[in-house]
Amino acid sequence: MNSKILPTTKYFTTVKNIQAGAIFSRDWAPLHSNQDWAINKGKLPNIIMNNYTLNGLVIKYVTDIYNESTRIGKVKFKINKPITPDKNLEFHGSIIKENKVSNEISILKIKVEVKVSDETYASANVVAGISLNNTKSNSPWKIDTDTWISYIKNS
Amino acid sequence: MQNDLPEEVNKLIGKNSFTDQSPIMIQKGLWQNFCSSIEDGNKIYWDERVAECHTEDLIAHPAMLPSWVHDFEWHPQRKKVQPMELHFHLKNILNLPLGIVTEVDIEYYLPIKDGDAISANQTLLSVSELVKTKLGEGRYWVIEVKYFNQLEILVGKQNIHFLGYKK
């Protein structure tokens, strides 16, 4: 199939939300929460966003587009440039593969790019099960574990 | 087996080397703090009535799977357990004091819920030959982390790609 472009969303980084993302994901490394350490000892421009927060934002991007029945199977991501405070992150996505496993459920492979202006700071491939009508009986969460893992491996 | 690697490293490849136990029981307040920090209002993390339709109960944000085996920053009775100890062990053996994560590949098999307890096994999958990078000379390596719940059921898996280097 041709790739389908998904809506773009934005997230503005601040000292507070980068610190909160790190602390609430139990990541105590000072480069994510201590500006003095990051700048003077880490030789970084400022504190930087941790992996878990970035992964969380990528997952949020996908689940916000579809609905709460969306089941995330896999996220593969790469950070090209550290994400610091006061950046207007833009999340761009496109569906690069769709496997319709029933009348109501598709397994999507989605490419996500996290950009600031036109520069790509991070990129990810996400495998997600989506329900087209968001009903209980056709929720991707009802797929048994072995079948779910086979969808992830074959995506 | 790679000839240019210390025997101690070759022995680690393919073997479960370190195990982490969750120092806490999973609680919704912990994942909701994280969701709040990234402004994620997905109802399966917040609203029992909606979650019931899909996952029976509220579930933790998937991005937090590795977080559950991170120790407290401070504990009154013991020293902090270093997360990803295998990575730091390798850095020591290979005399590569600096390290960065270059890629993460994480798979989610079962959701994590209130009251679960997570453990994790770390296995070294591969170590590259010596390479010259912009950051310095070093090696790439991949560590697989498998996550289990309190019933010892595999709930997810993560492959973390590192570059260990020196200036």
Side-chain angles (χ1 to χ4, degrees), chain A residues 18-32:
Chain A
I18 287 178
Q19 288 173 330
I23 297 299
F24 292 134
S25 59
R26 304 179 61 76
D27 184 345
W28 320 112
L31 74 167
H32 307 305

Side-chain angles (χ1 to χ4, degrees), chain B:
Chain B
M1 182 178 285
Q2 280 180 231
N3 291 332
D4 68 331
L5 284 175
E7 195 182 338
E8 198 178 346
V9 174
N10 273 320
K11 280 184 180 170
L12 288 170
I13 294 174
K15 288 187 184 140
N16 171 25
S17 308
F18 291 91
T19 298
D20 291 317
Q21 290 292 339
S22 175
I24 49 166
M25 198 172 273
I26 312 307
Q27 297 163 41
K28 70 177 177 186
L30 296 173
W31 78 66
Q32 287 175 348
N33 271 329
F34 176 73
C35 292
S36 173
S37 73
I38 60 169
E39 299 170 14
D40 193 337
N42 187 337
K43 290 178 180 171
I44 58 170
Y45 314 136
W46 293 93
D47 184 334
E48 277 95 351
R49 283 174 301 176
V50 174
E52 194 272 331
C53 295
H54 302 287
T55 50
E56 295 175 2
D57 295 303
L58 294 178
I59 67 165
H61 197 296
M64 288 188 74
L65 178 58
S67 308
W68 301 122
V69 295
H70 280 226
D71 202 1
F72 294 103
E73 177 69 342
W74 175 89
H75 191 281
Q77 290 158 342
R78 57 175 170 76
K79 282 188 176 174
K80 180 183 170 188
V81 177
Q82 175 72 53
M84 287 307 296
E85 201 165 349
L86 176 54
H87 168 64
F88 293 95
H89 184 57
L90 265 178
K91 281 168 61 180
N92 280 339
I93 300 172
L94 295 169
N95 189 27
L96 298 171
L98 303 168
I100 57 166
V101 174
T102 59
E103 196 174 311
V104 175
D105 189 347
I106 185 161
E107 296 180 353
Y108 302 106
Y109 305 145
L110 281 173
I112 308 300
K113 298 179 180 178
D114 213 326
D116 282 348
I118 302 299
S119 62
N121 293 342
Q122 301 166 32
T123 302
L124 179 63
L125 294 186
S126 62
V127 182
S128 78
E129 295 178 343
L130 272 173
V131 290
K132 282 186 180 166
T133 73
K134 283 180 196 167
L135 295 170
E137 191 177 64
R139 294 178 190 268
Y140 292 97
W141 55 79
V142 182
I143 293 176
E144 176 190 78
V145 187
K146 286 183 173 170
Y147 298 92
F148 298 86
N149 66 15
Q150 65 280 11
L151 303 173
E152 297 184 6
I153 297 170
L154 183 68
V155 296
K157 192 187 79 164
Q158 178 174 218
N159 283 1
I160 313 172
H161 299 241
F162 293 96
L163 168 66
Y165 63 96
K166 59 186 170 189
K167 293 281 186 192

